[in-house]
CSV table of all heavy atoms in Angstrom, one decimal:
chain,number,residue,atom,x,y,z
A,60,PHE,N,-6.0,-79.8,-49.1
A,60,PHE,CA,-4.9,-80.5,-49.5
A,60,PHE,C,-5.4,-81.7,-50.3
A,60,PHE,O,-6.4,-82.3,-50.1
A,60,PHE,CB,-4.1,-81.1,-48.3
A,60,PHE,CG,-3.1,-82.1,-48.7
A,60,PHE,CD1,-1.8,-81.7,-49.1
A,60,PHE,CD2,-3.4,-83.5,-48.6
A,60,PHE,CE1,-0.9,-82.7,-49.5
A,60,PHE,CE2,-2.4,-84.5,-49.0
A,60,PHE,CZ,-1.2,-84.0,-49.4
A,68,ALA,N,6.4,-80.9,-58.3
A,68,ALA,CA,7.6,-80.0,-58.4
A,68,ALA,C,8.5,-80.4,-59.5
A,68,ALA,O,9.3,-79.6,-60.1
A,68,ALA,CB,8.4,-80.0,-57.1
A,421,SER,N,-4.2,-73.4,-46.5
A,421,SER,CA,-4.2,-74.8,-46.7
A,421,SER,C,-3.2,-75.4,-45.8
A,421,SER,O,-2.3,-74.8,-45.3
A,421,SER,CB,-3.9,-75.1,-48.2
A,421,SER,OG,-2.6,-74.6,-48.5
A,423,SER,N,-0.8,-79.0,-45.3
A,423,SER,CA,-0.3,-80.3,-45.9
A,423,SER,C,0.2,-81.2,-44.9
A,423,SER,O,1.1,-80.9,-44.2
A,423,SER,CB,0.9,-79.9,-46.9
A,423,SER,OG,1.5,-81.1,-47.2
A,425,LYS,N,1.7,-83.8,-45.5
A,425,LYS,CA,3.1,-84.2,-45.9
A,425,LYS,C,4.2,-83.4,-45.3
A,425,LYS,O,5.2,-83.8,-44.9
A,425,LYS,CB,3.1,-84.3,-47.5
A,425,LYS,CG,2.3,-85.4,-48.1
A,425,LYS,CD,2.6,-85.6,-49.5
A,425,LYS,CE,3.9,-86.2,-49.8
A,425,LYS,NZ,4.1,-86.5,-51.2
A,426,THR,N,4.0,-82.0,-45.4
A,426,THR,CA,5.1,-81.2,-44.9
A,426,THR,C,4.8,-80.8,-43.4
A,426,THR,O,5.7,-80.2,-42.8
A,426,THR,CB,5.1,-79.8,-45.7
A,426,THR,OG1,3.9,-79.2,-45.6
A,426,THR,CG2,5.4,-80.2,-47.2
A,427,GLY,N,3.5,-80.9,-43.0
A,427,GLY,CA,3.2,-80.4,-41.6
A,427,GLY,C,3.0,-78.9,-41.5
A,427,GLY,O,3.0,-78.4,-40.4
A,428,LEU,N,2.9,-78.2,-42.7
A,428,LEU,CA,2.9,-76.8,-42.7
A,428,LEU,C,1.5,-76.3,-43.1
A,428,LEU,O,0.8,-76.9,-43.9
A,428,LEU,CB,4.0,-76.2,-43.6
A,428,LEU,CG,5.4,-76.6,-43.3
A,428,LEU,CD1,6.3,-76.0,-44.4
A,428,LEU,CD2,5.8,-76.1,-41.9
A,429,VAL,N,1.2,-75.1,-42.6
A,429,VAL,CA,0.0,-74.4,-43.0
A,429,VAL,C,0.4,-73.2,-43.9
A,429,VAL,O,1.3,-72.5,-43.5
A,429,VAL,CB,-0.9,-73.9,-41.8
A,429,VAL,CG1,-2.1,-73.1,-42.2
A,429,VAL,CG2,-1.2,-75.1,-40.9
A,430,TYR,N,-0.3,-73.0,-45.0
A,430,TYR,CA,0.1,-72.0,-46.0
A,430,TYR,C,-0.9,-70.8,-45.9
A,430,TYR,O,-2.1,-71.0,-46.3
A,430,TYR,CB,0.3,-72.6,-47.3
A,430,TYR,CG,1.2,-73.7,-47.4
A,430,TYR,CD1,0.7,-75.0,-47.2
A,430,TYR,CD2,2.6,-73.5,-47.4
A,430,TYR,CE1,1.7,-76.1,-47.2
A,430,TYR,CE2,3.5,-74.6,-47.3
A,430,TYR,CZ,3.0,-75.9,-47.3
A,430,TYR,OH,3.9,-76.9,-47.2
A,487,LEU,N,3.1,-64.8,-48.4
A,487,LEU,CA,2.7,-66.2,-48.3
A,487,LEU,C,3.6,-66.7,-47.3
A,487,LEU,O,4.8,-66.8,-47.4
A,487,LEU,CB,2.8,-66.9,-49.6
A,487,LEU,CG,2.6,-68.4,-49.6
A,487,LEU,CD1,1.2,-68.7,-49.1
A,487,LEU,CD2,2.9,-69.0,-50.9
A,489,ALA,N,4.5,-69.9,-44.7
A,489,ALA,CA,4.4,-71.3,-44.4
A,489,ALA,C,4.6,-71.4,-42.9
A,489,ALA,O,5.7,-71.1,-42.3
A,489,ALA,CB,5.4,-72.2,-45.1
A,490,TRP,N,3.6,-71.9,-42.1
A,490,TRP,CA,3.6,-71.9,-40.7
A,490,TRP,C,3.6,-73.3,-40.1
A,490,TRP,O,2.8,-74.2,-40.6
A,490,TRP,CB,2.4,-71.1,-40.2
A,490,TRP,CG,2.4,-70.8,-38.7
A,490,TRP,CD1,1.8,-71.5,-37.7
A,490,TRP,CD2,3.2,-69.9,-38.0
A,490,TRP,NE1,2.0,-71.0,-36.5
A,490,TRP,CE2,2.9,-69.9,-36.6
A,490,TRP,CE3,4.0,-68.8,-38.5
A,490,TRP,CZ2,3.5,-69.1,-35.7
A,490,TRP,CZ3,4.6,-68.0,-37.6
A,490,TRP,CH2,4.3,-68.1,-36.2
A,498,ALA,N,8.1,-71.3,-41.1
A,498,ALA,CA,9.1,-72.2,-41.8
A,498,ALA,C,9.7,-71.5,-43.0
A,498,ALA,O,11.0,-71.6,-43.2
A,498,ALA,CB,8.4,-73.5,-42.2
A,499,TRP,N,9.0,-70.8,-43.8
A,499,TRP,CA,9.4,-69.9,-44.9
A,499,TRP,C,8.3,-68.9,-45.3
A,499,TRP,O,7.2,-69.0,-44.8
A,499,TRP,CB,9.9,-70.8,-46.1
A,499,TRP,CG,8.9,-71.7,-46.7
A,499,TRP,CD1,8.9,-73.1,-46.5
A,499,TRP,CD2,7.8,-71.4,-47.6
A,499,TRP,NE1,7.8,-73.6,-47.2
A,499,TRP,CE2,7.2,-72.6,-47.9
A,499,TRP,CE3,7.3,-70.3,-48.1
A,499,TRP,CZ2,6.1,-72.7,-48.7
A,499,TRP,CZ3,6.2,-70.3,-49.0
A,499,TRP,CH2,5.6,-71.5,-49.3
A,512,LEU,N,-3.6,-73.6,-52.1
A,512,LEU,CA,-3.9,-75.1,-52.3
A,512,LEU,C,-2.6,-75.8,-52.1
A,512,LEU,O,-1.5,-75.4,-52.7
A,512,LEU,CB,-4.4,-75.3,-53.7
A,512,LEU,CG,-4.3,-76.8,-54.2
A,512,LEU,CD1,-5.3,-77.6,-53.5
A,512,LEU,CD2,-4.5,-76.8,-55.8
A,513,ALA,N,-2.6,-76.8,-51.3
A,513,ALA,CA,-1.4,-77.7,-51.1
A,513,ALA,C,-1.6,-79.0,-51.8
A,513,ALA,O,-2.7,-79.6,-51.7
A,513,ALA,CB,-1.0,-77.8,-49.7
A,514,THR,N,-0.6,-79.6,-52.4
A,514,THR,CA,-0.7,-80.9,-53.0
A,514,THR,C,0.3,-81.9,-52.7
A,514,THR,O,1.4,-81.5,-52.2
A,514,THR,CB,-0.8,-80.8,-54.6
A,514,THR,OG1,0.6,-80.6,-55.0
A,514,THR,CG2,-1.6,-79.6,-55.0
A,515,GLY,N,0.0,-83.2,-53.0
A,515,GLY,CA,1.0,-84.2,-52.8
A,515,GLY,C,2.2,-84.2,-53.6
A,515,GLY,O,3.2,-84.9,-53.4
A,516,GLY,N,2.2,-83.3,-54.7
A,516,GLY,CA,3.3,-83.1,-55.6
A,516,GLY,C,4.3,-82.1,-55.0
A,516,GLY,O,5.1,-81.5,-55.8
A,517,ASN,N,4.3,-81.8,-53.7
A,517,ASN,CA,5.2,-80.8,-53.1
A,517,ASN,C,5.0,-79.4,-53.6
A,517,ASN,O,5.9,-78.7,-54.0
A,517,ASN,CB,6.7,-81.2,-53.2
A,517,ASN,CG,7.5,-80.4,-52.3
A,517,ASN,OD1,7.1,-80.0,-51.2
A,517,ASN,ND2,8.8,-80.1,-52.7
A,518,LEU,N,3.7,-79.1,-53.8
A,518,LEU,CA,3.4,-77.8,-54.5
A,518,LEU,C,2.4,-77.0,-53.6
A,518,LEU,O,1.5,-77.6,-52.9
A,518,LEU,CB,2.7,-78.0,-55.8
A,518,LEU,CG,3.7,-78.6,-57.0
A,518,LEU,CD1,2.8,-78.8,-58.2
A,518,LEU,CD2,4.8,-77.7,-57.2
A,519,VAL,N,2.5,-75.7,-53.6
A,519,VAL,CA,1.5,-74.8,-53.1
A,519,VAL,C,1.2,-73.8,-54.2
A,519,VAL,O,2.1,-73.2,-54.8
A,519,VAL,CB,2.1,-74.0,-51.9
A,519,VAL,CG1,1.1,-72.9,-51.4
A,519,VAL,CG2,2.4,-74.9,-50.7
A,520,PHE,N,-0.1,-73.6,-54.5
A,520,PHE,CA,-0.6,-72.7,-55.5
A,520,PHE,C,-1.2,-71.5,-54.9
A,520,PHE,O,-1.9,-71.7,-53.9
A,520,PHE,CB,-1.6,-73.4,-56.5
A,520,PHE,CG,-1.0,-74.5,-57.4
A,520,PHE,CD1,-1.0,-75.8,-57.0
A,520,PHE,CD2,-0.5,-74.0,-58.6
A,520,PHE,CE1,-0.4,-76.7,-57.9
A,520,PHE,CE2,0.0,-75.1,-59.5
A,520,PHE,CZ,0.1,-76.4,-59.1
A,530,ALA,N,3.1,-71.1,-58.5
A,530,ALA,CA,3.3,-72.4,-57.8
A,530,ALA,C,4.7,-72.4,-57.1
A,530,ALA,O,5.7,-71.9,-57.7
A,530,ALA,CB,3.3,-73.6,-58.8
A,531,TYR,N,4.7,-72.8,-55.8
A,531,TYR,CA,5.9,-72.8,-55.0
A,531,TYR,C,6.1,-74.2,-54.5
A,531,TYR,O,5.2,-75.0,-54.4
A,531,TYR,CB,5.8,-71.9,-53.8
A,531,TYR,CG,5.4,-70.5,-54.2
A,531,TYR,CD1,4.1,-70.1,-54.2
A,531,TYR,CD2,6.4,-69.5,-54.5
A,531,TYR,CE1,3.7,-68.7,-54.5
A,531,TYR,CE2,6.0,-68.2,-54.8
A,531,TYR,CZ,4.7,-67.8,-54.8
A,531,TYR,OH,4.3,-66.6,-55.2
A,532,ALA,N,7.4,-74.5,-54.2
A,532,ALA,CA,7.8,-75.8,-53.6
A,532,ALA,C,7.2,-75.7,-52.1
A,532,ALA,O,7.5,-74.8,-51.4
A,532,ALA,CB,9.2,-76.0,-53.5
A,533,ALA,N,6.4,-76.7,-51.8
A,533,ALA,CA,5.7,-76.7,-50.5
A,533,ALA,C,6.7,-76.8,-49.3
A,533,ALA,O,6.4,-76.3,-48.2
A,533,ALA,CB,4.7,-77.8,-50.4
A,534,ASP,N,7.8,-77.5,-49.5
A,534,ASP,CA,8.8,-77.6,-48.4
A,534,ASP,C,9.8,-76.5,-48.2
A,534,ASP,O,10.2,-76.3,-47.1
A,534,ASP,CB,9.6,-79.0,-48.6
A,534,ASP,CG,10.3,-79.0,-49.9
A,534,ASP,OD1,10.2,-78.1,-50.7
A,534,ASP,OD2,11.0,-80.0,-50.1
A,535,SER,N,10.0,-75.7,-49.3
A,535,SER,CA,10.9,-74.6,-49.2
A,535,SER,C,10.4,-73.2,-49.6
A,535,SER,O,11.1,-72.2,-49.2
A,535,SER,CB,12.1,-75.0,-50.0
A,535,SER,OG,11.8,-74.9,-51.4
A,536,GLY,N,9.3,-73.1,-50.3
A,536,GLY,CA,8.9,-71.8,-50.8
A,536,GLY,C,9.5,-71.4,-52.1
A,536,GLY,O,9.3,-70.2,-52.6
A,537,LYS,N,10.4,-72.2,-52.7
A,537,LYS,CA,11.0,-71.9,-53.9
A,537,LYS,C,10.0,-71.6,-55.1
A,537,LYS,O,9.2,-72.5,-55.3
A,537,LYS,CB,12.0,-73.0,-54.4
A,537,LYS,CG,12.8,-72.7,-55.6
A,537,LYS,CD,13.7,-73.8,-56.0
A,537,LYS,CE,14.4,-73.6,-57.3
A,537,LYS,NZ,15.2,-74.7,-57.7
A,538,PRO,N,10.1,-70.5,-55.7
A,538,PRO,CA,9.2,-70.2,-56.8
A,538,PRO,C,9.5,-71.2,-58.0
A,538,PRO,O,10.6,-71.4,-58.4
A,538,PRO,CB,9.4,-68.8,-57.2
A,538,PRO,CG,10.1,-68.2,-56.1
A,538,PRO,CD,10.9,-69.3,-55.4
A,539,LEU,N,8.5,-71.9,-58.5
A,539,LEU,CA,8.7,-72.9,-59.5
A,539,LEU,C,8.0,-72.6,-60.8
A,539,LEU,O,8.5,-73.0,-61.9
A,539,LEU,CB,8.1,-74.2,-59.0
A,539,LEU,CG,8.8,-74.8,-57.8
A,539,LEU,CD1,8.1,-76.1,-57.4
A,539,LEU,CD2,10.3,-75.1,-58.0
Side-chain angles (χ1 to χ4, degrees):
F60 170 81
S421 56
S423 170
K425 290 189 71 172
T426 64
L428 300 177
V429 180
Y430 305 97
L487 171 59
W490 189 260
W499 54 258
L512 161 70
T514 77
N517 191 34
L518 294 173
V519 175
F520 289 92
Y531 305 95
D534 57 357
S535 67
K537 178 182 178 182
L539 300 175

